[in-house]
Amino acid sequence: DIQMTQSPSSLSASVGDRVTITCQASQDISNYLNWYQQKPGKAPKLLIYDASNLETGVPSRFSGSGSGRAFTFTISSLQPEDIATYYCQQYDDLPRYTFGQGTKLEIK
Amino acid sequence: EVQLVESGGGLVQPGGSLRLSCAASGFTFSSYWMHWVRQAPGKGLVWVSRISSDGGSTTYADSVKGRFTISRDNAKNTVYLQMNSLRVEDTAVYYCASGGSVRFFEYWGQGTLVTVSS
């Protein structure tokens, strides 16, 4: 099974800061990685698919990069509404899917 | 507008059964794979099961294989999750999810809470 490890597990940043979250796969998964945002009490929302493609309607301050085993999710300028938990998810191991453990983002 | 509405959650004793439903609207349900994803209280997301658009192919996470059964009724635009032999560790919010590709989960329901406790 492919394991996904996110870091950090939690993060505190100020409005306007650049925020970066990393996701490491236990083996090469090419670009088969997605990123989701989950606000408290809500369902997850797809932000980035195939490692770097922005989902329609998602603000351009969100971006993703990486391939192989190492991936990065970035918010270029943190906004108050970005407070949420972020998850990576791999689909190289179809028909099974694995999520990272999540990164909780808070405002400093 | 795409909508996925789950129902059927509740409190059940260990060893009991429950059937979840997810009613879909706003897209061509019969063309989409459907998934169940769960989230234990305060924990992360875990994929549970998926079913092909015609219902002919199903897959399960190892943790639920042999106990859970996913099915669908394309005439009713509904996907189901039959959960048997429930364990305390099955306690979670269960989301149904789907999308235009099997690669990602573009559409999500609001979730239904399943609590397994004596």
Side-chain angles (χ1 to χ4, degrees):
Chain A
D1 290 5
I2 298 175
Q3 308 302 317
M4 307 301 295
T5 303
Q6 284 182 237
S7 62
S9 297
S10 63
L11 174 59
S12 181
S14 300
V15 173
D17 280 356
R18 183 180 182 88
V19 171
T20 298
I21 297 168
T22 64
C23 183
Q24 180 92 5
S26 59
Q27 64 189 65
D28 188 329
I29 60 169
S30 185
N31 68 329
Y32 298 163
L33 185 102
N34 307 314
W35 290 95
Y36 298 83
Q37 175 193 67
Q38 186 179 32
K39 295 184 178 181
K42 300 294 186 181
K45 175 185 177 182
L46 177 67
L47 299 181
I48 303 285
Y49 63 94
D50 298 344
S52 60
N53 294 305
L54 196 65
E55 173 71 344
T56 302
V58 173
S60 59
R61 64 180 180 275
F62 297 100
S63 64
S65 64
S67 67
R69 295 184 58 198
F71 301 86
T72 300
F73 172 82
T74 301
I75 306 174
S76 60
S77 178
L78 184 66
Q79 300 301 304
E81 60 266 32
D82 298 337
I83 296 316
T85 299
Y86 293 84
Y87 294 91
C88 61
Q89 171 248 318
Q90 69 81 24
Y91 57 91
D92 181 70
D93 195 24
L94 287 179
R96 292 174 178 79
Y97 307 78
T98 312
F99 291 89
Q101 82 278 15
T103 296
K104 186 174 184 180
L105 177 56
E106 299 175 327
I107 292 285
K108 192 181 294 183
Chain B
E1 179 195 5
V2 171
Q3 276 201 315
L4 297 173
V5 180
E6 300 95 337
S7 61
L11 175 64
V12 61
Q13 291 188 337
S17 298
L18 214 54
R19 189 177 85 154
L20 307 183
S21 301
C22 171
S25 61
F27 64 103
T28 308
F29 179 78
S30 59
S31 298
Y32 283 66
W33 288 69
M34 297 297 297
H35 305 259
W36 288 95
V37 176
R38 71 184 182 183
Q39 186 171 37
K43 301 298 185 181
L45 301 166
V46 176
W47 173 82
V48 172
S49 180
R50 76 172 193 176
I51 186 167
S52 60
S53 56
D54 65 358
S57 175
T58 59
T59 311
Y60 301 91
D62 289 345
S63 58
V64 306
K65 196 180 301 182
R67 300 188 299 123
F68 290 12
T69 303
I70 190 171
S71 62
R72 65 190 295 159
D73 184 338
N74 284 347
K76 295 183 177 180
N77 285 1
T78 301
V79 62
Y80 305 97
L81 187 67
Q82 176 67 44
M83 304 185 295
N84 298 330
S85 302
L86 282 162
R87 305 168 180 168
V88 170
E89 55 265 35
D90 294 320
T91 295
V93 172
Y94 284 74
Y95 295 99
C96 69
S98 187
S101 168
V102 296
R103 309 191 313 276
F104 47 74
F105 311 116
E106 194 175 357
Y107 310 133
W108 294 75
Q110 85 287 353
T112 187
L113 177 62
V114 172
T115 303
V116 184
S117 174
S118 55

